[in-house]
Amino acid sequence: MSVIASIRARDVAELPGKRDEDWRWTDLRGLIREAPEPSRPYSGDLPAGPFAGLAAEEVVIANGEGGAHVDVLPAQTRRLALRFVSQGDGGHAARASIAVEAGGTLVLLESYEGQGGYLGHAGLAISVGTGATLERIVLADDSGDGVTVSQAEVHLEPGARFVQTVLTSGARRQRLETHVRHPGGHAELRLDGVYLLSGKRHADLTTVVTHEGLDGATTQLAKGVVRDQARGVFQGRIVVAEGADRTDARMGHHALILSDRAEVDAKPELEIYADDVACAHGNTVGALDDEALFYARQRGIPEAEARALLTEAFVGEVIDRIGDEAARDVARAWVAGRLAGEG
Amino acid sequence: MLSVSNLHAAVDGKEILKGLSLEVPAGEVHAIMGPNGAGKSTLSYVLTGRDGYEVTEGSATLDGEDLLSLEPEERAAKGVFLSFQYPLEIPGVPALTFVRTALNAQRRARGEPEVTAPEFLKLVRARAGELKIDFDMLKRALNVGFSGGEKKRMEILQMAILQPRFLILDETDSGLDIDALKIVADGVNALRGPDRGMLVITHYQRLLDYIKPDRVHVLAGGRIVASGGPELALQLEREGYDRYARAA
Ligand SMILES: Nc1ncnc2c1ncn2[C@@H]1O[C@H](COP(=O)(O)OP(=O)(O)O)[C@@H](O)[C@H]1O
Ligand SMILES: [Mg+2]
């Protein structure tokens, strides 16, 4: 079952669907009845991306054309904007590989942008060496008619640092998936996410972390706000393999549902096969706190403004964890814009 | 100023206020005392428009203007301020941001210009100093992790900044030690003036040693069952509420 194979072979039977346990909330098989034609090359001028001006290097992969092979050498510090752009109603798949060698530093500003009813796939292979740092910030502003699947395979060396924040407004159907092999050895991993969904949009944040060695740390905080008939999916799995002792894993997922017809499906999973592991997880799905809302209104803040203030603060906890200051500002502005009903 | 007449209100279909009448003229401070469960907090929520508190009969006006048909934020902009018995925690919103948002929202609603950031900071620094509130605390999320006493002082700070015309203090003394009580009372007394009215809700007369009321009312069984001068508070302190609880 693979989205890439389905796009390449133009065979909808290859699409994952609700019979696949990991895809039961993001059913592509049931959604896409007919395999799309291959996408035509991107035409027209490319608009500026959401991280314009923040990175010296920019790589654009438009309708599956183009590719990225980025190798950050030891002691290099780089900033890269990586843009997956989709246009039209066709199908396309693209691959990128990013390696940060021992001691290197990369800020990866990745975006998904699109117009049309496309089916797009992005596959990323990421590796982070000993003493290297990769901060990956993903901003997915897909078309409401598009279907996007992004799958990243991340390989960490001991002593590596990989921190990620995925921000999405969803799509007709969208899945942003990250798999991490964690070697322990004081490698540090953070996998954060924010989904802000309205209309009939759907976003699925799926992460799988496998701790394979001693002394690994993972922290994860995902927050979502869904309104209208939107649907958010969070699947976070942390596996601590036998022998991966002294692992420290913390996972939190919290969602606000702002309408009766919106939905959030969450499956936080900690599978522990090692002894001596520090683990914590929390998962809450609920409405805005009525009492806090009344308190703010009693002080004179109009209801809509009070709701926006409290909702922004709710999401702000994740934004505050973004290390790169310029990207954090972009993220904060994006959140404020989405919550104010832009786009 | 505040005029409440034959007010009936229900929560979850259960009638809590049963014909409450009260007049607080401008420039006066009135105390409301009463046993637990008498409906004191209910009165404060009904006057400020909290959802779920359903008025079934009667009226409440401020300077002749109906309060009960207004949204909570509209009442706030008219100058009604409630110091909550249990102030809420607002995660993720620094106290400074919250108060500035509130002040500017009220000013906009009244057609006044917003305060600039430097003006606001100057104002907050002065008021926080008077209330012995550490300025750094105001950078933290409002009331999150604050002690009971700190929360009450934050209520008074907001009051000092928002400068409301009609103040309702719901058990502002609870959780305060004597030093904090004096600071809070000074903050409240500083706001006394010919154009302001205050309703001080308390269970104990101790607070009234510091905030001297013009009138004292006993609230029991959802009604004002007795009214008098400051001496009534002392009498209640000696004799308790038994007599009124029975009468109600
Ligand atoms: N939200 C509520 N839901 C149900 N009952 C309530 C609620 N708030 C207050 N009550 C009831 O209303 C009565 C008055 O409560 P309250 O106004 O808090 O009294 P006081 O402040 O005088 O102690 C009590 O019997 C209480 O149980
Ligand atoms: Mg009370």
Side-chain angles (χ1 to χ4, degrees), chain B residues 44-79:
Chain B
S44 72
Y45 291 143
V46 169
L47 291 176
T48 49
R50 185 167 180 163
D51 275 348
Y53 289 75
E54 193 198 347
V55 176
T56 51
E57 205 184 323
S59 66
T61 59
L62 187 69
D63 294 332
E65 195 172 357
D66 177 32
L67 281 181
L68 301 178
S69 62
L70 300 179
E71 296 294 332
E73 54 268 35
E74 294 171 323
R75 302 182 201 198
K78 300 259 180 237

PDB file of all heavy atoms in Angstrom, chain B residues 44-79:
ATOM      1  N   SER B  44     -23.672  38.527  42.276  1.00  0.00           N
ATOM      2  CA  SER B  44     -22.575  39.168  41.540  1.00  0.00           C
ATOM      3  C   SER B  44     -22.541  38.692  40.085  1.00  0.00           C
ATOM      4  O   SER B  44     -22.263  39.477  39.179  1.00  0.00           O
ATOM      5  CB  SER B  44     -21.235  38.927  42.243  1.00  0.00           C
ATOM      6  OG  SER B  44     -20.818  37.584  42.084  1.00  0.00           O
ATOM      7  N   TYR B  45     -22.858  37.419  39.856  1.00  0.00           N
ATOM      8  CA  TYR B  45     -22.858  36.898  38.478  1.00  0.00           C
ATOM      9  C   TYR B  45     -24.058  37.401  37.684  1.00  0.00           C
ATOM     10  O   TYR B  45     -23.958  37.645  36.486  1.00  0.00           O
ATOM     11  CB  TYR B  45     -22.851  35.371  38.483  1.00  0.00           C
ATOM     12  CG  TYR B  45     -21.550  34.775  38.977  1.00  0.00           C
ATOM     13  CD1 TYR B  45     -21.544  33.617  39.756  1.00  0.00           C
ATOM     14  CD2 TYR B  45     -20.329  35.361  38.662  1.00  0.00           C
ATOM     15  CE1 TYR B  45     -20.362  33.062  40.205  1.00  0.00           C
ATOM     16  CE2 TYR B  45     -19.144  34.817  39.119  1.00  0.00           C
ATOM     17  CZ  TYR B  45     -19.161  33.663  39.892  1.00  0.00           C
ATOM     18  OH  TYR B  45     -17.989  33.121  40.335  1.00  0.00           O
ATOM     19  N   VAL B  46     -25.195  37.527  38.361  1.00  0.00           N
ATOM     20  CA  VAL B  46     -26.376  38.028  37.653  1.00  0.00           C
ATOM     21  C   VAL B  46     -26.134  39.480  37.216  1.00  0.00           C
ATOM     22  O   VAL B  46     -26.447  39.865  36.095  1.00  0.00           O
ATOM     23  CB  VAL B  46     -27.637  37.912  38.537  1.00  0.00           C
ATOM     24  CG1 VAL B  46     -28.803  38.682  37.915  1.00  0.00           C
ATOM     25  CG2 VAL B  46     -28.018  36.450  38.732  1.00  0.00           C
ATOM     26  N   LEU B  47     -25.529  40.258  38.100  1.00  0.00           N
ATOM     27  CA  LEU B  47     -25.279  41.663  37.757  1.00  0.00           C
ATOM     28  C   LEU B  47     -24.256  41.812  36.630  1.00  0.00           C
ATOM     29  O   LEU B  47     -24.268  42.798  35.911  1.00  0.00           O
ATOM     30  CB  LEU B  47     -24.810  42.435  38.998  1.00  0.00           C
ATOM     31  CG  LEU B  47     -25.867  42.635  40.096  1.00  0.00           C
ATOM     32  CD1 LEU B  47     -25.253  43.334  41.301  1.00  0.00           C
ATOM     33  CD2 LEU B  47     -27.071  43.420  39.566  1.00  0.00           C
ATOM     34  N   THR B  48     -23.371  40.816  36.474  1.00  0.00           N
ATOM     35  CA  THR B  48     -22.339  40.932  35.443  1.00  0.00           C
ATOM     36  C   THR B  48     -22.653  40.095  34.202  1.00  0.00           C
ATOM     37  O   THR B  48     -21.896  40.127  33.235  1.00  0.00           O
ATOM     38  CB  THR B  48     -20.953  40.533  36.002  1.00  0.00           C
ATOM     39  OG1 THR B  48     -21.076  39.276  36.681  1.00  0.00           O
ATOM     40  CG2 THR B  48     -20.447  41.579  36.977  1.00  0.00           C
ATOM     41  N   GLY B  49     -23.738  39.320  34.248  1.00  0.00           N
ATOM     42  CA  GLY B  49     -24.214  38.691  33.015  1.00  0.00           C
ATOM     43  C   GLY B  49     -23.634  37.343  32.669  1.00  0.00           C
ATOM     44  O   GLY B  49     -23.509  36.985  31.496  1.00  0.00           O
ATOM     45  N   ARG B  50     -23.306  36.562  33.681  1.00  0.00           N
ATOM     46  CA  ARG B  50     -22.743  35.247  33.388  1.00  0.00           C
ATOM     47  C   ARG B  50     -23.815  34.310  32.819  1.00  0.00           C
ATOM     48  O   ARG B  50     -24.950  34.287  33.290  1.00  0.00           O
ATOM     49  CB  ARG B  50     -22.193  34.655  34.681  1.00  0.00           C
ATOM     50  CG  ARG B  50     -21.495  33.359  34.485  1.00  0.00           C
ATOM     51  CD  ARG B  50     -20.709  33.010  35.735  1.00  0.00           C
ATOM     52  NE  ARG B  50     -20.028  31.747  35.559  1.00  0.00           N
ATOM     53  CZ  ARG B  50     -19.035  31.347  36.329  1.00  0.00           C
ATOM     54  NH1 ARG B  50     -18.617  32.115  37.314  1.00  0.00           N
ATOM     55  NH2 ARG B  50     -18.470  30.200  36.133  1.00  0.00           N
ATOM     56  N   ASP B  51     -23.407  33.526  31.810  1.00  0.00           N
ATOM     57  CA  ASP B  51     -24.311  32.535  31.206  1.00  0.00           C
ATOM     58  C   ASP B  51     -24.784  31.551  32.262  1.00  0.00           C
ATOM     59  O   ASP B  51     -24.022  31.169  33.141  1.00  0.00           O
ATOM     60  CB  ASP B  51     -23.580  31.716  30.130  1.00  0.00           C
ATOM     61  CG  ASP B  51     -23.580  32.419  28.793  1.00  0.00           C
ATOM     62  OD1 ASP B  51     -24.327  33.408  28.660  1.00  0.00           O
ATOM     63  OD2 ASP B  51     -22.837  31.986  27.909  1.00  0.00           O
ATOM     64  N   GLY B  52     -26.017  31.120  32.129  1.00  0.00           N
ATOM     65  CA  GLY B  52     -26.519  30.089  33.030  1.00  0.00           C
ATOM     66  C   GLY B  52     -27.228  30.668  34.249  1.00  0.00           C
ATOM     67  O   GLY B  52     -27.838  29.935  35.017  1.00  0.00           O
ATOM     68  N   TYR B  53     -27.105  31.982  34.417  1.00  0.00           N
ATOM     69  CA  TYR B  53     -27.812  32.637  35.532  1.00  0.00           C
ATOM     70  C   TYR B  53     -29.011  33.357  34.932  1.00  0.00           C
ATOM     71  O   TYR B  53     -28.884  34.426  34.355  1.00  0.00           O
ATOM     72  CB  TYR B  53     -26.875  33.588  36.266  1.00  0.00           C
ATOM     73  CG  TYR B  53     -25.832  32.828  37.048  1.00  0.00           C
ATOM     74  CD1 TYR B  53     -24.755  32.212  36.401  1.00  0.00           C
ATOM     75  CD2 TYR B  53     -25.945  32.673  38.423  1.00  0.00           C
ATOM     76  CE1 TYR B  53     -23.821  31.471  37.098  1.00  0.00           C
ATOM     77  CE2 TYR B  53     -25.007  31.935  39.143  1.00  0.00           C
ATOM     78  CZ  TYR B  53     -23.946  31.338  38.471  1.00  0.00           C
ATOM     79  OH  TYR B  53     -23.041  30.606  39.171  1.00  0.00           O
ATOM     80  N   GLU B  54     -30.147  32.737  35.051  1.00  0.00           N
ATOM     81  CA  GLU B  54     -31.315  33.195  34.317  1.00  0.00           C
ATOM     82  C   GLU B  54     -32.182  34.098  35.193  1.00  0.00           C
ATOM     83  O   GLU B  54     -32.633  33.683  36.276  1.00  0.00           O
ATOM     84  CB  GLU B  54     -32.125  31.970  33.863  1.00  0.00           C
ATOM     85  CG  GLU B  54     -33.181  32.311  32.847  1.00  0.00           C
ATOM     86  CD  GLU B  54     -34.242  31.205  32.754  1.00  0.00           C
ATOM     87  OE1 GLU B  54     -34.013  30.103  33.290  1.00  0.00           O
ATOM     88  OE2 GLU B  54     -35.297  31.487  32.168  1.00  0.00           O
ATOM     89  N   VAL B  55     -32.375  35.319  34.716  1.00  0.00           N
ATOM     90  CA  VAL B  55     -33.241  36.252  35.453  1.00  0.00           C
ATOM     91  C   VAL B  55     -34.686  35.970  35.059  1.00  0.00           C
ATOM     92  O   VAL B  55     -35.037  35.994  33.880  1.00  0.00           O
ATOM     93  CB  VAL B  55     -32.878  37.708  35.117  1.00  0.00           C
ATOM     94  CG1 VAL B  55     -33.845  38.679  35.807  1.00  0.00           C
ATOM     95  CG2 VAL B  55     -31.441  38.002  35.539  1.00  0.00           C
ATOM     96  N   THR B  56     -35.513  35.680  36.036  1.00  0.00           N
ATOM     97  CA  THR B  56     -36.901  35.336  35.726  1.00  0.00           C
ATOM     98  C   THR B  56     -37.856  36.486  36.030  1.00  0.00           C
ATOM     99  O   THR B  56     -38.985  36.507  35.551  1.00  0.00           O
ATOM    100  CB  THR B  56     -37.333  34.082  36.526  1.00  0.00           C
ATOM    101  OG1 THR B  56     -37.010  34.286  37.895  1.00  0.00           O
ATOM    102  CG2 THR B  56     -36.625  32.840  36.001  1.00  0.00           C
ATOM    103  N   GLU B  57     -37.405  37.450  36.847  1.00  0.00           N
ATOM    104  CA  GLU B  57     -38.275  38.559  37.203  1.00  0.00           C
ATOM    105  C   GLU B  57     -37.420  39.671  37.789  1.00  0.00           C
ATOM    106  O   GLU B  57     -36.339  39.409  38.312  1.00  0.00           O
ATOM    107  CB  GLU B  57     -39.285  38.075  38.270  1.00  0.00           C
ATOM    108  CG  GLU B  57     -40.585  38.858  38.309  1.00  0.00           C
ATOM    109  CD  GLU B  57     -41.499  38.377  39.452  1.00  0.00           C
ATOM    110  OE1 GLU B  57     -41.527  37.153  39.720  1.00  0.00           O
ATOM    111  OE2 GLU B  57     -42.155  39.219  40.073  1.00  0.00           O
ATOM    112  N   GLY B  58     -37.917  40.901  37.702  1.00  0.00           N
ATOM    113  CA  GLY B  58     -37.237  42.012  38.346  1.00  0.00           C
ATOM    114  C   GLY B  58     -36.298  42.754  37.424  1.00  0.00           C
ATOM    115  O   GLY B  58     -36.196  42.449  36.236  1.00  0.00           O
ATOM    116  N   SER B  59     -35.591  43.745  37.986  1.00  0.00           N
ATOM    117  CA  SER B  59     -34.726  44.581  37.166  1.00  0.00           C
ATOM    118  C   SER B  59     -33.465  44.968  37.909  1.00  0.00           C
ATOM    119  O   SER B  59     -33.395  44.883  39.140  1.00  0.00           O
ATOM    120  CB  SER B  59     -35.482  45.846  36.748  1.00  0.00           C
ATOM    121  OG  SER B  59     -35.740  46.621  37.911  1.00  0.00           O
ATOM    122  N   ALA B  60     -32.469  45.357  37.131  1.00  0.00           N
ATOM    123  CA  ALA B  60     -31.241  45.924  37.690  1.00  0.00           C
ATOM    124  C   ALA B  60     -30.783  47.013  36.728  1.00  0.00           C
ATOM    125  O   ALA B  60     -30.628  46.763  35.540  1.00  0.00           O
ATOM    126  CB  ALA B  60     -30.165  44.849  37.829  1.00  0.00           C
ATOM    127  N   THR B  61     -30.600  48.216  37.262  1.00  0.00           N
ATOM    128  CA  THR B  61     -30.162  49.322  36.407  1.00  0.00           C
ATOM    129  C   THR B  61     -28.955  50.012  37.026  1.00  0.00           C
ATOM    130  O   THR B  61     -28.756  49.980  38.245  1.00  0.00           O
ATOM    131  CB  THR B  61     -31.276  50.376  36.227  1.00  0.00           C
ATOM    132  OG1 THR B  61     -31.635  50.887  37.520  1.00  0.00           O
ATOM    133  CG2 THR B  61     -32.530  49.769  35.576  1.00  0.00           C
ATOM    134  N   LEU B  62     -28.155  50.606  36.147  1.00  0.00           N
ATOM    135  CA  LEU B  62     -27.036  51.432  36.592  1.00  0.00           C
ATOM    136  C   LEU B  62     -27.282  52.833  36.030  1.00  0.00           C
ATOM    137  O   LEU B  62     -27.383  52.986  34.808  1.00  0.00           O
ATOM    138  CB  LEU B  62     -25.711  50.867  36.071  1.00  0.00           C
ATOM    139  CG  LEU B  62     -24.452  51.555  36.615  1.00  0.00           C
ATOM    140  CD1 LEU B  62     -24.247  51.267  38.093  1.00  0.00           C
ATOM    141  CD2 LEU B  62     -23.217  51.093  35.822  1.00  0.00           C
ATOM    142  N   ASP B  63     -27.418  53.793  36.906  1.00  0.00           N
ATOM    143  CA  ASP B  63     -27.772  55.156  36.493  1.00  0.00           C
ATOM    144  C   ASP B  63     -28.983  55.151  35.561  1.00  0.00           C
ATOM    145  O   ASP B  63     -29.001  55.825  34.525  1.00  0.00           O
ATOM    146  CB  ASP B  63     -26.586  55.844  35.802  1.00  0.00           C
ATOM    147  CG  ASP B  63     -25.434  56.058  36.777  1.00  0.00           C
ATOM    148  OD1 ASP B  63     -25.703  56.190  38.000  1.00  0.00           O
ATOM    149  OD2 ASP B  63     -24.280  56.085  36.320  1.00  0.00           O
ATOM    150  N   GLY B  64     -29.941  54.332  35.909  1.00  0.00           N
ATOM    151  CA  GLY B  64     -31.196  54.298  35.159  1.00  0.00           C
ATOM    152  C   GLY B  64     -31.177  53.448  33.902  1.00  0.00           C
ATOM    153  O   GLY B  64     -32.216  53.221  33.273  1.00  0.00           O
ATOM    154  N   GLU B  65     -29.990  52.943  33.560  1.00  0.00           N
ATOM    155  CA  GLU B  65     -29.878  52.171  32.326  1.00  0.00           C
ATOM    156  C   GLU B  65     -29.943  50.673  32.642  1.00  0.00           C
ATOM    157  O   GLU B  65     -29.247  50.190  33.542  1.00  0.00           O
ATOM    158  CB  GLU B  65     -28.529  52.496  31.667  1.00  0.00           C
ATOM    159  CG  GLU B  65     -28.437  52.057  30.255  1.00  0.00           C
ATOM    160  CD  GLU B  65     -27.147  52.571  29.599  1.00  0.00           C
ATOM    161  OE1 GLU B  65     -26.386  53.310  30.264  1.00  0.00           O
ATOM    162  OE2 GLU B  65     -26.906  52.210  28.456  1.00  0.00           O
ATOM    163  N   ASP B  66     -30.786  49.963  31.911  1.00  0.00           N
ATOM    164  CA  ASP B  66     -30.959  48.529  32.151  1.00  0.00           C
ATOM    165  C   ASP B  66     -29.639  47.787  31.953  1.00  0.00           C
ATOM    166  O   ASP B  66     -28.980  47.922  30.926  1.00  0.00           O
ATOM    167  CB  ASP B  66     -32.010  47.985  31.164  1.00  0.00           C
ATOM    168  CG  ASP B  66     -32.176  46.471  31.317  1.00  0.00           C
ATOM    169  OD1 ASP B  66     -32.015  45.971  32.455  1.00  0.00           O
ATOM    170  OD2 ASP B  66     -32.459  45.802  30.303  1.00  0.00           O
ATOM    171  N   LEU B  67     -29.248  47.008  32.940  1.00  0.00           N
ATOM    172  CA  LEU B  67     -28.017  46.209  32.821  1.00  0.00           C
ATOM    173  C   LEU B  67     -28.294  44.838  32.240  1.00  0.00           C
ATOM    174  O   LEU B  67     -27.481  44.274  31.512  1.00  0.00           O
ATOM    175  CB  LEU B  67     -27.384  46.010  34.208  1.00  0.00           C
ATOM    176  CG  LEU B  67     -26.574  47.130  34.826  1.00  0.00           C
ATOM    177  CD1 LEU B  67     -26.044  46.664  36.180  1.00  0.00           C
ATOM    178  CD2 LEU B  67     -25.422  47.536  33.910  1.00  0.00           C
ATOM    179  N   LEU B  68     -29.468  44.295  32.579  1.00  0.00           N
ATOM    180  CA  LEU B  68     -29.688  42.864  32.346  1.00  0.00           C
ATOM    181  C   LEU B  68     -29.748  42.489  30.868  1.00  0.00           C
ATOM    182  O   LEU B  68     -29.521  41.335  30.516  1.00  0.00           O
ATOM    183  CB  LEU B  68     -30.956  42.401  33.068  1.00  0.00           C
ATOM    184  CG  LEU B  68     -30.918  42.628  34.592  1.00  0.00           C
ATOM    185  CD1 LEU B  68     -32.232  42.187  35.237  1.00  0.00           C
ATOM    186  CD2 LEU B  68     -29.739  41.897  35.224  1.00  0.00           C
ATOM    187  N   SER B  69     -30.052  43.475  29.998  1.00  0.00           N
ATOM    188  CA  SER B  69     -30.118  43.147  28.569  1.00  0.00           C
ATOM    189  C   SER B  69     -28.759  43.288  27.889  1.00  0.00           C
ATOM    190  O   SER B  69     -28.625  42.989  26.704  1.00  0.00           O
ATOM    191  CB  SER B  69     -31.124  44.067  27.883  1.00  0.00           C
ATOM    192  OG  SER B  69     -30.696  45.409  28.003  1.00  0.00           O
ATOM    193  N   LEU B  70     -27.748  43.730  28.631  1.00  0.00           N
ATOM    194  CA  LEU B  70     -26.429  43.944  28.012  1.00  0.00           C
ATOM    195  C   LEU B  70     -25.547  42.704  28.104  1.00  0.00           C
ATOM    196  O   LEU B  70     -25.667  41.904  29.031  1.00  0.00           O
ATOM    197  CB  LEU B  70     -25.710  45.107  28.705  1.00  0.00           C
ATOM    198  CG  LEU B  70     -26.390  46.480  28.681  1.00  0.00           C
ATOM    199  CD1 LEU B  70     -25.538  47.493  29.438  1.00  0.00           C
ATOM    200  CD2 LEU B  70     -26.627  46.938  27.243  1.00  0.00           C
ATOM    201  N   GLU B  71     -24.640  42.580  27.128  1.00  0.00           N
ATOM    202  CA  GLU B  71     -23.625  41.527  27.181  1.00  0.00           C
ATOM    203  C   GLU B  71     -22.649  41.847  28.321  1.00  0.00           C
ATOM    204  O   GLU B  71     -22.491  43.018  28.699  1.00  0.00           O
ATOM    205  CB  GLU B  71     -22.835  41.477  25.862  1.00  0.00           C
ATOM    206  CG  GLU B  71     -23.653  41.113  24.641  1.00  0.00           C
ATOM    207  CD  GLU B  71     -24.188  39.683  24.705  1.00  0.00           C
ATOM    208  OE1 GLU B  71     -23.561  38.824  25.355  1.00  0.00           O
ATOM    209  OE2 GLU B  71     -25.260  39.432  24.116  1.00  0.00           O
ATOM    210  N   PRO B  72     -21.961  40.824  28.837  1.00  0.00           N
ATOM    211  CA  PRO B  72     -20.999  41.077  29.923  1.00  0.00           C
ATOM    212  C   PRO B  72     -19.995  42.178  29.578  1.00  0.00           C
ATOM    213  O   PRO B  72     -19.688  43.035  30.417  1.00  0.00           O
ATOM    214  CB  PRO B  72     -20.299  39.730  30.088  1.00  0.00           C
ATOM    215  CG  PRO B  72     -21.265  38.721  29.585  1.00  0.00           C
ATOM    216  CD  PRO B  72     -22.066  39.395  28.505  1.00  0.00           C
ATOM    217  N   GLU B  73     -19.472  42.158  28.318  1.00  0.00           N
ATOM    218  CA  GLU B  73     -18.454  43.146  27.967  1.00  0.00           C
ATOM    219  C   GLU B  73     -19.045  44.552  27.866  1.00  0.00           C
ATOM    220  O   GLU B  73     -18.348  45.541  28.118  1.00  0.00           O
ATOM    221  CB  GLU B  73     -17.739  42.756  26.662  1.00  0.00           C
ATOM    222  CG  GLU B  73     -18.632  42.504  25.459  1.00  0.00           C
ATOM    223  CD  GLU B  73     -19.026  41.036  25.312  1.00  0.00           C
ATOM    224  OE1 GLU B  73     -19.212  40.348  26.350  1.00  0.00           O
ATOM    225  OE2 GLU B  73     -19.140  40.566  24.161  1.00  0.00           O
ATOM    226  N   GLU B  74     -20.334  44.633  27.522  1.00  0.00           N
ATOM    227  CA  GLU B  74     -20.981  45.948  27.472  1.00  0.00           C
ATOM    228  C   GLU B  74     -21.155  46.509  28.889  1.00  0.00           C
ATOM    229  O   GLU B  74     -20.961  47.701  29.132  1.00  0.00           O
ATOM    230  CB  GLU B  74     -22.340  45.851  26.775  1.00  0.00           C
ATOM    231  CG  GLU B  74     -22.229  45.483  25.297  1.00  0.00           C
ATOM    232  CD  GLU B  74     -23.572  45.176  24.637  1.00  0.00           C
ATOM    233  OE1 GLU B  74     -24.459  44.576  25.295  1.00  0.00           O
ATOM    234  OE2 GLU B  74     -23.732  45.537  23.461  1.00  0.00           O
ATOM    235  N   ARG B  75     -21.503  45.637  29.812  1.00  0.00           N
ATOM    236  CA  ARG B  75     -21.620  46.080  31.207  1.00  0.00           C
ATOM    237  C   ARG B  75     -20.251  46.540  31.720  1.00  0.00           C
ATOM    238  O   ARG B  75     -20.155  47.545  32.430  1.00  0.00           O
ATOM    239  CB  ARG B  75     -22.146  44.940  32.082  1.00  0.00           C
ATOM    240  CG  ARG B  75     -23.502  44.428  31.614  1.00  0.00           C
ATOM    241  CD  ARG B  75     -24.008  43.339  32.537  1.00  0.00           C
ATOM    242  NE  ARG B  75     -25.001  42.527  31.833  1.00  0.00           N
ATOM    243  CZ  ARG B  75     -25.878  41.732  32.426  1.00  0.00           C
ATOM    244  NH1 ARG B  75     -25.901  41.645  33.757  1.00  0.00           N
ATOM    245  NH2 ARG B  75     -26.729  41.024  31.731  1.00  0.00           N
ATOM    246  N   ALA B  76     -19.218  45.790  31.336  1.00  0.00           N
ATOM    247  CA  ALA B  76     -17.860  46.164  31.762  1.00  0.00           C
ATOM    248  C   ALA B  76     -17.512  47.546  31.228  1.00  0.00           C
ATOM    249  O   ALA B  76     -16.948  48.385  31.937  1.00  0.00           O
ATOM    250  CB  ALA B  76     -16.850  45.125  31.291  1.00  0.00           C
ATOM    251  N   ALA B  77     -17.844  47.783  29.956  1.00  0.00           N
ATOM    252  CA  ALA B  77     -17.518  49.081  29.354  1.00  0.00           C
ATOM    253  C   ALA B  77     -18.315  50.207  30.013  1.00  0.00           C
ATOM    254  O   ALA B  77     -17.863  51.357  30.052  1.00  0.00           O
ATOM    255  CB  ALA B  77     -17.783  49.050  27.850  1.00  0.00           C
ATOM    256  N   LYS B  78     -19.474  49.883  30.575  1.00  0.00           N
ATOM    257  CA  LYS B  78     -20.249  50.885  31.329  1.00  0.00           C
ATOM    258  C   LYS B  78     -19.634  51.121  32.705  1.00  0.00           C
ATOM    259  O   LYS B  78     -20.126  51.950  33.480  1.00  0.00           O
ATOM    260  CB  LYS B  78     -21.701  50.439  31.517  1.00  0.00           C
ATOM    261  CG  LYS B  78     -22.458  50.219  30.234  1.00  0.00           C
ATOM    262  CD  LYS B  78     -23.362  51.386  29.903  1.00  0.00           C
ATOM    263  CE  LYS B  78     -24.093  51.112  28.604  1.00  0.00           C
ATOM    264  NZ  LYS B  78     -23.848  52.172  27.606  1.00  0.00           N
ATOM    265  N   GLY B  79     -18.655  50.293  33.053  1.00  0.00           N
ATOM    266  CA  GLY B  79     -17.958  50.517  34.311  1.00  0.00           C
ATOM    267  C   GLY B  79     -18.286  49.544  35.423  1.00  0.00           C
ATOM    268  O   GLY B  79     -17.939  49.766  36.574  1.00  0.00           O
TER     269      GLY B  79
END
